[in-house]
Coordinates of all heavy atoms in Angstrom, one line a residue:
Chain A
P157 N -107.0 84.0 30.6 CA -106.3 84.9 29.6 C -107.2 85.2 28.5 O -108.1 84.5 28.1 CB -105.1 84.0 29.2 CG -105.5 82.6 29.5 CD -106.4 82.7 30.7
R159 N -106.4 85.5 25.2 CA -106.1 84.8 24.0 C -105.6 83.4 24.3 O -105.4 83.0 25.4 CB -105.0 85.5 23.2 CG -105.5 86.7 22.4 CD -105.0 86.6 21.0 NE -104.3 87.8 20.5 CZ -104.6 89.0 20.5 NH1 -105.7 89.4 21.2 NH2 -103.8 89.9 20.0
G160 N -105.4 82.6 23.3 CA -104.7 81.3 23.4 C -105.7 80.2 23.9 O -106.9 80.5 24.2
P161 N -105.2 79.0 23.8 CA -106.0 77.8 24.2 C -106.3 77.8 25.6 O -105.7 78.4 26.5 CB -105.1 76.6 23.9 CG -103.6 77.2 23.9 CD -103.8 78.6 23.4
P163 N -106.5 76.8 29.4 CA -105.6 76.1 30.2 C -106.1 74.7 30.6 O -107.2 74.5 30.7 CB -105.5 77.0 31.5 CG -106.0 78.3 31.1 CD -106.9 78.1 29.9
A164 N -105.1 73.8 30.7 CA -105.5 72.4 31.0 C -105.9 72.1 32.4 O -106.7 71.2 32.7 CB -104.3 71.5 30.6
R189 N -91.9 68.4 40.2 CA -92.1 67.2 39.4 C -93.2 66.4 40.0 O -94.1 65.9 39.2 CB -90.8 66.4 39.5 CG -89.7 67.0 38.6 CD -88.4 66.3 38.8 NE -87.4 67.3 39.1 CZ -86.5 67.8 38.1 NH1 -86.5 67.4 37.0 NH2 -85.6 68.8 38.5
A197 N -99.6 66.5 34.3 CA -99.0 67.5 33.3 C -97.5 67.4 33.3 O -96.9 66.7 34.1 CB -99.4 68.9 33.9
G198 N -96.9 68.1 32.4 CA -95.4 68.2 32.4 C -95.0 69.1 33.5 O -95.7 70.1 33.9
M200 N -92.7 71.5 33.6 CA -92.6 72.9 33.3 C -93.9 73.6 33.1 O -94.0 74.8 33.0 CB -91.6 73.1 32.2 CG -90.2 72.7 32.6 SD -89.7 73.4 34.1 CE -89.6 75.1 33.8
S201 N -94.9 72.8 32.8 CA -96.2 73.4 32.6 C -96.8 74.2 33.9 O -97.5 75.1 33.7 CB -97.3 72.3 32.2 OG -96.8 71.6 31.1
R204 N -96.7 77.9 34.0 CA -97.7 78.7 33.4 C -98.6 79.3 34.4 O -99.3 80.3 34.2 CB -98.5 77.9 32.4 CG -97.7 77.4 31.1 CD -97.4 78.6 30.1 NE -96.3 78.3 29.4 CZ -95.7 79.3 28.6 NH1 -96.0 80.5 28.8 NH2 -94.6 78.9 27.9
Y205 N -98.8 78.7 35.5 CA -99.8 78.9 36.5 C -99.2 79.7 37.7 O -99.9 80.3 38.5 CB -100.4 77.7 36.9 CG -101.2 77.0 35.8 CD1 -100.5 76.2 35.0 CD2 -102.5 77.3 35.6 CE1 -101.1 75.6 33.9 CE2 -103.2 76.6 34.5 CZ -102.4 75.8 33.7 OH -103.1 75.2 32.6
Chain D
dG156 P -101.5 84.5 4.5 OP1 -100.6 85.1 3.4 OP2 -101.5 83.1 4.7 O5' -101.1 85.3 5.9 C5' -101.2 86.7 6.0 C4' -101.1 87.1 7.5 O4' -102.3 86.8 8.1 C3' -100.0 86.3 8.2 O3' -99.4 87.2 9.2 C2' -100.8 85.3 9.0 C1' -102.1 86.1 9.3 N9 -103.2 85.4 9.8 C8 -103.6 84.1 9.3 N7 -104.8 83.8 10.0 C5 -105.1 84.8 10.8 C6 -106.1 84.9 11.7 O6 -107.1 84.2 11.9 N1 -106.0 86.1 12.4 C2 -105.1 87.1 12.2 N2 -105.2 88.2 13.0 N3 -104.0 87.0 11.4 C4 -104.1 85.8 10.7
dA157 P -97.9 87.4 9.2 OP1 -97.4 88.2 8.0 OP2 -97.2 86.2 9.5 O5' -97.7 88.4 10.5 C5' -98.6 89.5 10.5 C4' -99.2 89.7 11.9 O4' -100.3 88.7 12.1 C3' -98.2 89.5 13.1 O3' -98.4 90.5 13.9 C2' -98.7 88.1 13.6 C1' -100.1 88.1 13.4 N9 -100.8 86.8 13.3 C8 -100.4 85.8 12.5 N7 -101.2 84.7 12.6 C5 -102.2 85.2 13.6 C6 -103.3 84.5 14.1 N6 -103.7 83.3 13.8 N1 -104.1 85.2 15.0 C2 -103.7 86.4 15.3 N3 -102.7 87.2 14.9 C4 -102.0 86.4 14.0
dA158 P -97.3 90.8 15.1 OP1 -96.9 92.3 15.0 OP2 -96.2 89.8 15.1 O5' -98.1 90.7 16.5 C5' -99.6 90.9 16.5 C4' -100.2 90.3 17.7 O4' -100.7 89.1 17.4 C3' -99.3 90.1 18.9 O3' -100.0 90.6 20.0 C2' -99.0 88.6 18.9 C1' -100.4 88.1 18.3 N9 -100.3 86.8 17.7 C8 -99.3 86.3 16.9 N7 -99.5 85.1 16.4 C5 -100.7 84.8 16.9 C6 -101.6 83.6 16.9 N6 -101.2 82.5 16.2 N1 -102.7 83.6 17.6 C2 -103.0 84.7 18.3 N3 -102.3 85.9 18.5 C4 -101.2 85.8 17.7
dA159 P -99.3 90.8 21.4 OP1 -99.8 92.0 22.0 OP2 -97.8 90.6 21.3 O5' -99.9 89.5 22.3 C5' -101.3 89.5 22.5 C4' -101.6 88.1 22.9 O4' -101.3 87.1 21.9 C3' -100.7 87.7 24.1 O3' -101.6 87.3 25.2 C2' -99.9 86.5 23.6 C1' -100.8 85.9 22.6 N9 -100.1 85.2 21.5 C8 -98.9 85.4 21.0 N7 -98.6 84.5 20.1 C5 -99.6 83.6 20.1 C6 -99.8 82.4 19.5 N6 -98.9 81.9 18.5 N1 -100.9 81.7 19.7 C2 -101.8 82.1 20.6 N3 -101.7 83.3 21.3 C4 -100.6 83.9 21.0
dC160 P -100.9 87.2 26.7 OP1 -101.9 87.7 27.7 OP2 -99.6 87.9 26.7 O5' -100.7 85.7 26.9 C5' -101.7 84.9 27.4 C4' -101.8 83.6 26.5 O4' -101.2 83.7 25.2 C3' -101.3 82.3 27.0 O3' -102.0 81.9 28.1 C2' -101.4 81.4 25.9 C1' -101.2 82.4 24.7 N1 -100.0 82.1 23.8 C2 -100.0 81.0 23.0 O2 -100.9 80.3 23.0 N3 -98.9 80.7 22.3 C4 -97.8 81.6 22.3 N4 -96.7 81.3 21.6 C5 -97.8 82.7 23.2 C6 -98.9 83.0 23.9
dT161 P -101.4 80.9 29.1 OP1 -102.3 80.7 30.2 OP2 -100.0 81.3 29.4 O5' -101.3 79.5 28.4 C5' -102.5 78.7 28.1 C4' -102.2 77.5 27.2 O4' -101.5 78.0 26.0 C3' -101.2 76.6 27.9 O3' -102.0 75.6 28.6 C2' -100.6 75.9 26.7 C1' -100.7 77.0 25.6 N1 -99.3 77.6 25.3 C2 -98.5 77.0 24.4 O2 -98.7 76.0 23.9 N3 -97.3 77.7 24.2 C4 -97.0 78.9 24.8 O4 -95.9 79.4 24.5 C5 -97.9 79.5 25.7 C7 -97.5 80.7 26.4 C6 -99.0 78.9 25.9
dG162 P -101.3 74.9 29.8 OP1 -102.3 74.2 30.6 OP2 -100.2 75.7 30.4 O5' -100.5 73.6 29.0 C5' -101.2 72.8 28.2 C4' -100.2 71.9 27.5 O4' -99.4 72.7 26.6 C3' -99.4 71.1 28.4 O3' -99.3 69.7 28.0 C2' -97.9 71.7 28.2 C1' -98.0 72.4 26.9 N9 -97.2 73.6 26.9 C8 -97.4 74.7 27.6 N7 -96.6 75.7 27.3 C5 -95.8 75.2 26.3 C6 -94.7 75.7 25.5 O6 -94.2 76.8 25.6 N1 -94.3 74.9 24.6 C2 -94.7 73.5 24.3 N2 -94.1 72.8 23.3 N3 -95.7 73.0 25.0 C4 -96.2 73.9 25.9
dG163 P -98.6 68.6 29.0 OP1 -99.1 67.3 28.5 OP2 -98.7 69.0 30.4 O5' -97.1 68.8 28.5 C5' -96.7 68.4 27.3 C4' -95.2 68.7 27.1 O4' -95.0 70.1 27.1 C3' -94.3 68.2 28.3 O3' -93.2 67.5 27.8 C2' -93.9 69.4 29.0 C1' -93.9 70.4 27.8 N9 -93.8 71.8 28.1 C8 -94.4 72.4 29.1 N7 -94.1 73.7 29.2 C5 -93.1 73.9 28.3 C6 -92.3 75.0 27.9 O6 -92.4 76.1 28.4 N1 -91.4 74.6 26.9 C2 -91.3 73.5 26.3 N2 -90.3 73.4 25.3 N3 -92.0 72.4 26.6 C4 -92.9 72.6 27.6
dG164 P -92.9 66.0 28.1 OP1 -94.0 65.3 27.5 OP2 -92.5 65.9 29.5 O5' -91.6 65.8 27.1 C5' -91.6 66.3 25.8 C4' -90.1 66.8 25.4 O4' -90.1 68.2 25.7 C3' -89.0 66.1 26.2 O3' -87.9 65.8 25.2 C2' -88.5 67.2 27.2 C1' -89.0 68.5 26.6 N9 -89.4 69.5 27.5 C8 -90.3 69.4 28.5 N7 -90.5 70.5 29.1 C5 -89.5 71.4 28.7 C6 -89.1 72.7 29.0 O6 -89.7 73.5 29.9 N1 -88.1 73.2 28.3 C2 -87.4 72.5 27.3 N2 -86.5 73.2 26.6 N3 -87.8 71.3 26.9 C4 -88.8 70.8 27.6
dT165 P -86.7 64.9 25.7 OP1 -86.2 64.2 24.5 OP2 -87.0 64.3 27.1 O5' -85.6 66.2 25.9 C5' -85.4 67.1 24.9 C4' -84.3 68.1 25.4 O4' -84.9 69.1 26.3 C3' -83.1 67.5 26.1 O3' -82.0 68.1 25.5 C2' -83.3 67.9 27.6 C1' -84.1 69.2 27.4 N1 -84.9 69.7 28.6 C2 -84.8 71.0 29.0 O2 -84.0 71.8 28.6 N3 -85.5 71.3 30.1 C4 -86.5 70.5 30.8 O4 -87.2 70.9 31.7 C5 -86.6 69.2 30.2 C7 -87.6 68.2 30.8 C6 -85.8 68.8 29.1
dA166 P -80.5 67.6 26.1 OP1 -79.6 67.6 24.9 OP2 -80.7 66.3 26.9 O5' -80.1 68.7 27.1 C5' -80.4 70.1 26.8 C4' -79.9 71.0 27.9 O4' -81.0 71.2 28.9 C3' -78.7 70.4 28.6 O3' -77.7 71.4 28.9 C2' -79.3 69.8 29.9 C1' -80.4 70.8 30.1 N9 -81.5 70.3 30.9 C8 -82.0 68.9 30.9 N7 -83.0 68.8 31.8 C5 -83.2 70.0 32.3 C6 -84.1 70.4 33.3 N6 -85.0 69.7 33.9 N1 -84.1 71.7 33.7 C2 -83.2 72.5 33.1 N3 -82.2 72.2 32.2 C4 -82.3 70.9 31.9
dC167 P -76.3 71.2 29.5 OP1 -75.3 71.7 28.5 OP2 -76.2 69.8 29.9 O5' -76.3 72.1 30.7 C5' -76.8 73.5 30.6 C4' -76.8 74.1 31.9 O4' -78.1 73.7 32.6 C3' -75.7 73.7 32.9 O3' -75.2 74.8 33.5 C2' -76.4 72.7 33.9 C1' -77.8 73.3 33.8 N1 -78.7 72.2 34.3 C2 -79.8 72.5 35.1 O2 -79.9 73.6 35.6 N3 -80.7 71.5 35.5 C4 -80.6 70.3 34.9 N4 -81.5 69.4 35.3 C5 -79.6 69.9 34.0 C6 -78.7 70.9 33.7
dG168 P -73.7 74.8 34.2 OP1 -72.9 75.9 33.5 OP2 -73.1 73.4 34.1 O5' -73.9 75.1 35.7 C5' -74.9 76.2 36.0 C4' -75.4 75.9 37.4 O4' -76.4 74.8 37.3 C3' -74.4 75.4 38.4 O3' -74.5 76.2 39.6 C2' -74.7 73.9 38.7 C1' -76.3 74.0 38.4 N9 -76.8 72.7 38.0 C8 -76.3 71.7 37.2 N7 -77.0 70.6 37.0 C5 -78.0 70.9 37.9 C6 -79.1 70.0 38.3 O6 -79.5 68.9 37.8 N1 -80.0 70.6 39.1 C2 -79.9 71.8 39.7 N2 -80.7 72.3 40.5 N3 -78.7 72.7 39.4 C4 -78.0 72.1 38.5

Side-chain angles (χ1 to χ4, degrees):
Chain A
R159 284 232 233 307
R189 285 169 232 261
M200 292 314 289
S201 304
R204 292 282 158 202
Y205 299 82

